[in-house]
Structures are given as structure tokens and as C-alpha cells.
């Protein structure tokens, strides 16, 4: 691991789970918290996991990242397996906003090797 080569720094540092104890939209979130969250927290010790009740609100998961940004995903009326997918999405994300490219990238210079085509390639002889 010389000069940081091979080192990986996860960008997500904290996941905050908000839920309502009485709301029907939090049913899947409560089930996920009871069954899957402890296993998830043990598998990812680098993440700080916080669970807080939020009365009379829909359940949300908030991811906080090293760059100071955060992402919030509403998980109302979702099943625990769907919530697990959203948790993985937040965990693996970097916190940056999605960039929309409006124009395709077009090069003004030709390739040194020319344009590749499967019809012009020759089979290699051994």
C-alpha cells in the first residue's frame, strides 16, 4: 500500500433512519430496523448508523458524506428488501449530484488507429 495505492476510503460516513412508530407508511421501515439493521451495522463498521423516531412523518433515510453533502430518500410504503436496496444505494454513493450531459461527446480529431469495425479485424494466427 505505497502512496495510497490500494487504499479505499468510503465516502458515506453516516446513515440516519427516521421513522414514525404509529404510521402505516413506516411498517416496512420498522420491520427492516428490527430484522436487518443490526446485521448491516456489523458488516459496515465504518458507517455511523443512527435511528430516530420522527412522529407523523413518512420514513426517510439520510446519507451524510465526507464532502459535506447529504442525500435523502423517502421509503414510505416500501418492503424491507426494497429499503435494503436504497440503503446500499446510499452507502455506495459519493454524495455528488447527478450530472446531466445534454450533448453527446463528439471528437474533432480522428483516432490514431482509425475507426474500429468488427468486419475489418483479421483473426490472429498462432
Amino acid at each position: 500500500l505505497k502512496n495510497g495505492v490500494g487504499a479505499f476510503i468510503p465516502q458515506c460516513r453516516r446513515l440516519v433512519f427516521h421513522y414514525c412508530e404509529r404510521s402505516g407508511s413506516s411498517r416496512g421501515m420498522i420491520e427492516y430496523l428490527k430484522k436487518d439493521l443490526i446485521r448491516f451495522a456489523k458488516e459496515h463498521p465504518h458507517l455511523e448508523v443512527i435511528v430516530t423516531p420522527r412522529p407523523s412523518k413518512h420514513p426517510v433515510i439520510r446519507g451524510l458524506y465526507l464532502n459535506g453533502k447529504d442525500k435523502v430518500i423517502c421509503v414510505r410504503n416500501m418492503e424491507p428488501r426494497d429499503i435494503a436496496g436504497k440503503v446500499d444505494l446510499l452507502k455506495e454513493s459519493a454524495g455528488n449530484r447527478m450530472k446531466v450531459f445534454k450533448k453527446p461527446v463528439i471528437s474533432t480529431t480522428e483516432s490514431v488507429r482509425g475507426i474500429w469495425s468488427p468486419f475489418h479485424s483479421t483473426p490472429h494466427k498462432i
Side-chain angles (χ1 to χ4, degrees), residues 92-110:
E92 295 169 359
S93 162
N96 296 329
R97 295 219 178 257
M98 297 294 290
K99 293 179 182 162
V100 178
F101 297 105
K102 296 187 180 196
K103 297 179 183 177
V105 177
I106 299 173
S107 177
T108 56
T109 59
E110 288 188 27

Side-chain angles (χ1 to χ4, degrees), residues 2-55:
K2 196 173 195 180
N3 293 334
V5 176
F8 175 72
I9 300 173
Q11 296 299 302
C12 185
R13 64 183 172 105
R14 181 182 303 154
L15 287 175
V16 182
F17 295 85
H18 296 288
Y19 70 99
C20 177
E21 295 171 348
R22 297 180 310 222
S23 172
S25 65
S26 292
R27 189 175 312 129
M29 173 69 100
I30 292 171
E31 190 175 333
Y32 176 79
L33 295 175
K34 288 180 180 177
K35 293 182 179 178
D36 300 329
L37 187 64
I38 294 173
R39 178 192 50 81
F40 176 81
K42 286 180 181 177
E43 289 176 0
H44 303 92
H46 62 276
L47 281 175
E48 180 182 354
V49 177
I50 300 172
V51 178
T52 59
R54 199 172 88 160

Side-chain angles (χ1 to χ4, degrees), residues 116 121-126:
W116 181 85
S121 64
T122 58
H124 298 284
K125 294 181 182 178
I126 300 176

Side-chain angles (χ1 to χ4, degrees), residues 47-99:
L47 281 175
E48 180 182 354
V49 177
I50 300 172
V51 178
T52 59
R54 199 172 88 160
S56 303
K57 303 278 185 186
H58 290 302
V60 295
I61 305 170
R62 178 182 302 266
L64 297 139
Y65 299 91
L66 291 177
N67 61 3
K69 301 200 180 218
D70 66 335
K71 285 187 181 180
V72 179
I73 296 181
C74 180
V75 292
R76 97 175 155 234
N77 297 327
M78 285 190 183
E79 296 296 320
R81 60 182 162 77
D82 298 330
I83 293 173
K86 297 297 181 184
V87 169
D88 285 338
L89 176 77
L90 287 173
K91 174 187 63 106
E92 295 169 359
S93 162
N96 296 329
R97 295 219 178 257
M98 297 294 290
K99 293 179 182 162

